[in-house]
Amino acid sequence: MSIGAEVPRDRAKRLLVGRGRYVDDISLPRMLHLAFVRSPYAHARIDAIDTSRAMALPGVVAVFTAADLDGAVSSWRAAHKLFPTMAAPEQGVLARDVVRWQGEAVAAVAAESRALAEDGAEQVAVEWHELTPVLDGNQALAPGAPVLHRDMTDNLAYETKITAGDVDAAFAGAAHVAEEHFRFHRHSGISLEPRGIIADFEPSESRLTVHQSHQTPHQQQDLYARLLGLPEHKVRVICPDVGGAFGLKHHLMADELTACVAAKLLARPVKYIADRLESFLSDIHCRDHEVHARMAFSREGEILGLHVDDLFNAGAYGQYPRTSIAEGNQISRLTGAPYRHENYRADLRMAFLNKSILGHIRSVGHPIACAVAERLIDLGAAHLGLDAIEVRRRNYLDDDDFPRTSTGGVEFEYLSLNPCLDKALEIIDVAQFRQEQAEARAKGVYRGIGVATFVELTAIGPEYYGEGGQHISAQETCLLRLEGSGTLRCYTGATDQGQGIDTGIQQVVADVLGLPLGDVEVISGDSALCPVGGGSWGSRGAALAGEAAMRAATTLRRNILSIAASLLQKNAAGLTIEQGVVVDTASGTTHMAVSEIARIGHFQPYSIPEGVAADLTVVERYATRDRMFLAGNGLQIAIVEVDVDSGIVMPLRHLVVHDCGRILNPLLVREQVRGGVVQGIGAALYEELRYDPDGHLLTGSFADYLVPMAGEMPDIEVAHIESPTKTSELGAKGAGEAGTAGAVGAILNAVNDAISPFDASIAEVPITPPRLLRALGRF
Amino acid sequence: MKAPDFDYHRPETLAEALDLLARHGEDAAIIAGGQSLLALLNFRLAAPERLIDIGRLTDLKSLSEDHGHIEIGGLLRHCDLQASPLIARELPLLHKAIGHIAHPAVRHRGTIGGSLAMADPAAELGACCLALDGEFLLVSLQNRRWVAAADFFLGVYQTALRADEILAAVRLPKRRPGSIGIFDEIARRRGDFAMAGLALAAQTGDGGLSDVRLALLGVADRPILAGKTMAFLEGRPINEARIDEAAALIAGEIDPPEDPAYPPAYRRHLTGVLLRRALLELCS
Amino acid sequence: MSNKLRRIALTVNGEAVEREVPVRLNLVDFLRHELGFTGSHVGCEHGACGACTVLLDEQTVRGCLTLAVQADGCAVRTIEGAGENELMVDLQAAFHRLNALQCGFCTPGMLFSAQELLQANPAPSREEIRDYLSGNFCRCTGYQAIVDAVQAVAQMRHGARHGGRHGAPGP
């Protein structure tokens, strides 16, 4: 069996010896390099742009402003038909007369090298008229606030409310109401490889070839074709090796589109690689929510009701094409989702403000939904004098509760909440920790333990974007091509940024077909070669592309065995394939190699009777039906030490018990989960995009924006519960959100547990040392 | 983030370098290891007309000792000093501090002279030299002068170096019998610039500490001596009550700059924590 | 502005190279774009992420904080030329086997740091490994597989004992 085996990744071999091929490694003849003139202000009017000095510099080939691109590219609006009242202001490739965040591009310089392009950008003179910036949601939504967009009367991008049951009655009848005001600051995905693109336009054929560090080649093909007015089949988007993505690279970015327009207008290849400063300024950001939440409890710790009020500080525009709403929507729908409560209310207000566009970064909304509920449970349990773990257990949805639609409206086929908790408590002896904690406290050492139960929404179904009006495939297709020698090429619409979905698919295909793993090669990331598919986002690879691969392999296996049966004059039902050889299922007698069938199938097809299913190139597809998500779940436990003198938090130990259904490759899933945890610890302790009162980014370097590094990270134990989904044959759910989804909640609870002797608490992340010491009243 | 263009000179001798500086000093930047300067250039936060690369000047790479002092060539790299048994033996305070500077790959290029001349207020070496009462040899075509560390640092990235001068050497007194040196800092992550740090040098004896020099980093526009606290600690035995008093005193003595991430009150608090830890270490 | 040029001669991966380069060109851009050694990567251009780590005269340096002209006369080694070192080959194999990389962008720099650590300290604890690698940013893994891989190589080559905060590596 190959499915479930710990198989190392083929692709890793060349990455280890420096043979990767990332976008910036590619160079095309006569290629130009792009640099941008970006707004130094958060909000300003552009009165004039003078490009003449830049144009005069040696090596500068062209300078574009918005006016120069009129007619060459369309603008767009980030709208979503499932949220019809959401504002969708118009956005173009370059800001035309108003800039709405510091870093928004107003002009592009194409030159013979990036250094020369930057020289040119420095020489573009812009006359600015500063406007008052709007920098947080409260300010944005206050009466009289400056309005960002001309076709709006205020900055309210969207407002909605979800209700279930009778929340007011539940709170009125509660023995205790736990209440907290949370702040989750803004951060981003921070892939190590920044965004990058090479656009190459061939005018004689109207053909655009794009190499891009991206997660979704087919989505980009559609967007570039439509926005640039090209026939879609003349647009090809190739995603070579991608140096990390995490949701950062599945959007349309105005500067990347500018590279395509420039290539079209100049008829020369144009490369744009975002530098780190540009990345901080203008990448898609995430989080930035202010959440006020209340949880009503009975005396016994039963959750009677939950009310979540989320102020979502979005960016200057909605993210295109997916829009920015999902993060707020996930918080509204997911908070408290693992628990059996009937009375629920979620209020959401999303505000536009003068910061970079906010969108979907790994584990969209999940960490906030998780942290809010998990913190409230700890607060409630402490007040009621109950064990917080027992309060969780008491309220968990149990095996009998499924299938179930949560009060927030999320459908759960099954969640293994109790099995995950049981397993976690086998691994971490909480009573023993409590004893050690007491001993340590006596010595002035403050440790804490934090538990966070999370639900993980994966494998988004076609209804979300299909109904929304976006051209984003949530269906996956797999094409298998048995070569004449009997080896196999597998083309998938999923893409691999290192998480290893190529290997997972390879295992599925090899397993079903009975081929040696090495005889299967997976080809992905090319919109011209690969069948239309969604790429990789929202933990969809294993569940959707894996299932499509399984179906295609099943069909191809049937065809191989049909051919074999006809050649051998045997019944196909009695045959199987093992290690590339057709054998008799019952006796194990070997009959003929798959390579022989491939040879005959391709070169001597006349040997196969008419009517036998003999296709050796097969295509199958898979999409979920009638469900928005496949929900996984899990639990994290963090143990931390707080230096109450400095406010520094040291994660000491971290456990994840996770259920992502059937696991294709535990080796890969483990580190995928750990990587997610480390990103979650980053959000909990380090990562924050901070702005000054004028809206200028203060964290434009890695000296100011802190990412988690090896020295401070703990070892992370990962254990699994395996509850395959019954909605597919393969049974896999996604695994990419889990680590990030639960880590913030676990760390937040652990820190609060550590400082509980001081009667202090904190509800703001990242938990920076000054914030923590202030909560402790130390300065 | 590509550096702006510049003229590049790589003198082979100190005399040649000084001659270049005499002619171009106002418009030139000296590059040694380049571990700070090149980042500034890449961000285009600096745009000197020319770089004078002194990296090949072997005259500035010597390490020597006399009966009371160690003299360190300005071009010795952090890794050279970290690996030097002489430094470990005679300047343990400095040796310990170097381990806190960034990461190995940076320590392989960064130099002591470059770090001091850059004068980042959060850098380790400035505070060490201040605590050790070091002197810096500044040379120009016309002149050689020794400047005390206490007179060298003038502000954020500001020093007593004139445009035509090179920091050629650092002279630090060797450890004496009974002397102690403590270096400590608090940073968010390993290798980060510290939020606050402390270098304490003193003589220990029956009557407590003497010749106390207590330098701080990351809490002002330059490395500073905590004069009041030094005076308080001078000549008295350390006990728990004194430690509390000293920690309160130092927190009140300093005036860290406004910083939205790390407010002044936080840095004052941290400095008190560091001093408490240092004095407790002395007691134990 | 323009590009002022200077001629440099050095060895890269053991081969003599002579080029006229813009003086403002940094070492990693020179290696990548002038010589085609694209195995070293550019992640931040201010010395913080470690993706551009290469060997300069046998020591790790930041390729973005070194000018190409400063490497004149020196010996540079990139990941493409690192396979002559047996320790490096072992590290690469262990990284592969234990899945100590995902996207691979940090990996060449991480490998050089790991190699340098094991050359100086053949039996480091997990804590020492984490410390030495703490200047190399990895956004994909949880660092743990990387620490496991370095430790596994140390154990294989030198029979090092387990160390660190939580004992042995493993699932």
Side-chain angles (χ1 to χ4, degrees), chain B residues 2 36 74 96 106 136 166 202 208 219 269:
Chain B
K2 304 296 178 195
S36 303
K96 180 162 183 218
V106 170
F136 307 144
I166 289 175
V219 298
H269 168 85

Side-chain angles (χ1 to χ4, degrees), chain A residues 676-693:
Chain A
V677 167
V678 165
Q679 290 188 9
I681 294 176
L685 298 179
Y686 297 110
E687 297 184 42
E688 181 177 358
L689 290 157
R690 286 184 291 107
Y691 291 81
D692 75 6

